[in-house]
Amino acid sequence: MVNWRNWWLLLAFLPACLLQAQDGRYEALYQEALRYADVDSLARAEALFKDALKLAPSHPGNAMVFSNLGTVQRRMGHDEDALQSYTMALNLSPLNVPILLNRASLYLGMGDSNKAYIDYCNVLDVDHGNAEALLYRAYIYLERRSYAEAEADYLRLVRLQPDCILAQMGLATLYQRQKKYKQALDLFNQLVLQNPNDADLLVARADLELEMGQEEVALFDLEAALALSSSDAAIYVMRGNIYLRREEKKLAKSDFEKAISLGYPRRELHLQLEACR
């Protein structure tokens, strides 16, 4: 004889068992996708993340799955797909700071600074001292020529992280754009003093010195930069342009040819090479 009480208990227990099994499969797919992503098997990782989403479309962990899917797609160069995945993730978790930062970075890479700006502002609404959001929002302000706002973000970041070289370089670049040369030079001098083996700082200071009409000093900085980074084609181009302005054509041509040998496009130096004749 059938024990109906036990039968109904079994029916009640069955959906819970199925859900538990589904959760286990979902988690297994997610972890396997992460492992493939770690070893750069990106197409396989993408497929597994999508399988997890199909298996459990309403799972509470889907915001993270969409986010990781977007990162894999971005690494594959599929920016539009990545953007859609990040947006789906944010639909599920609208104020998730890491996902907002990922989408903002993607927007910047795609040339849409206006949408990136909105995401960075949303990050700062949640995390007032977020260094990445402050740095890149300041950069966007700088490109918009919203100099007061850019300075406020850079100074705020410098106060929060006094050793942040990028923030101080951004501030120096801002002062250079405003032709506040003394303030810019003071900052670059301080940075170079603290980081004497940073070729990028030397090149940035050389650019400022050129704008100030100090060619000799700029050449000195470029020499020092090349001693640290002898395979940087852009430094040879920069120095070659100075030599060309000084009518030192042989030296200029040598630098331009060296830059080309390091991969700099010859077509972009066509006019300079013609002027070296």
Side-chain angles (χ1 to χ4, degrees), residues 105-123:
S105 173
L106 179 58
Y107 274 135
L108 268 187
M110 296 173 72
D112 195 337
S113 63
N114 290 329
K115 289 182 180 176
Y117 170 80
I118 293 170
D119 278 350
Y120 287 129
C121 287
N122 285 333
V123 169

Side-chain angles (χ1 to χ4, degrees), residues 53 61-71 84-86 88-89 92:
L53 292 167
N62 279 350
M64 192 54 62
V65 178
F66 273 118
S67 177
N68 281 292
L69 174 60
T71 298
Q84 184 176 2
S85 294
Y86 285 143
M88 290 295 294
L92 297 171

Side-chain angles (χ1 to χ4, degrees), residues 190-208:
Q190 180 182 338
L191 284 169
V192 171
L193 187 64
Q194 294 169 347
N195 306 275
N197 296 320
D198 191 320
D200 290 336
L201 284 173
L202 289 164
V203 172
R205 186 169 71 176
D207 181 68
L208 171 62

Side-chain angles (χ1 to χ4, degrees), residues 135 161-171 191 194-195 198 201:
L135 181 65
Q161 296 188 9
D163 296 329
C164 181
I165 294 176
L166 290 175
Q168 295 179 69
M169 282 187 71
L171 194 56
L191 284 169
Q194 294 169 347
N195 306 275
D198 191 320
L201 284 173

Side-chain angles (χ1 to χ4, degrees), residues 29-30 32-33 36 43-53:
L29 286 168
Y30 178 67
E32 190 178 4
Y36 275 107
R44 181 61 181 150
E46 180 185 33
L48 288 165
F49 282 132
K50 288 181 176 180
D51 285 346
L53 292 167

Side-chain angles (χ1 to χ4, degrees), residues 74-195:
R74 187 176 183 184
R75 287 168 62 190
M76 295 170 72
H78 302 164
D79 288 351
E80 291 293 343
D81 289 340
L83 182 58
Q84 184 176 2
S85 294
Y86 285 143
T87 299
M88 290 295 294
L90 288 167
N91 287 342
L92 297 171
S93 183
L95 295 178
N96 185 302
V97 167
I99 302 174
L100 281 167
L101 289 173
N102 281 339
R103 190 174 70 173
S105 173
L106 179 58
Y107 274 135
L108 268 187
M110 296 173 72
D112 195 337
S113 63
N114 290 329
K115 289 182 180 176
Y117 170 80
I118 293 170
D119 278 350
Y120 287 129
C121 287
N122 285 333
V123 169
L124 290 166
D125 284 342
V126 177
D127 180 3
H128 304 303
N130 188 280
E132 182 177 342
L134 281 170
L135 181 65
Y136 285 104
R137 190 174 72 172
Y139 166 78
I140 293 169
Y141 280 137
L142 184 62
E143 293 304 300
R144 291 178 175 181
R145 300 187 181 182
S146 300
Y147 294 141
E149 291 83 356
E151 183 176 21
D153 275 357
Y154 280 133
L155 288 173
R156 184 172 163 194
L157 182 51
V158 169
R159 283 194 295 271
L160 290 168
Q161 296 188 9
D163 296 329
C164 181
I165 294 176
L166 290 175
Q168 295 179 69
M169 282 187 71
L171 194 56
T173 301
L174 167 65
Y175 291 146
Q176 183 177 349
R177 293 268 189 97
Q178 295 175 296
K179 301 192 183 303
K180 297 178 180 178
Y181 293 136
K182 183 181 184 307
Q183 289 170 270
L185 188 59
D186 285 347
L187 265 176
F188 276 126
N189 287 342
Q190 180 182 338
L191 284 169
V192 171
L193 187 64
Q194 294 169 347
N195 306 275

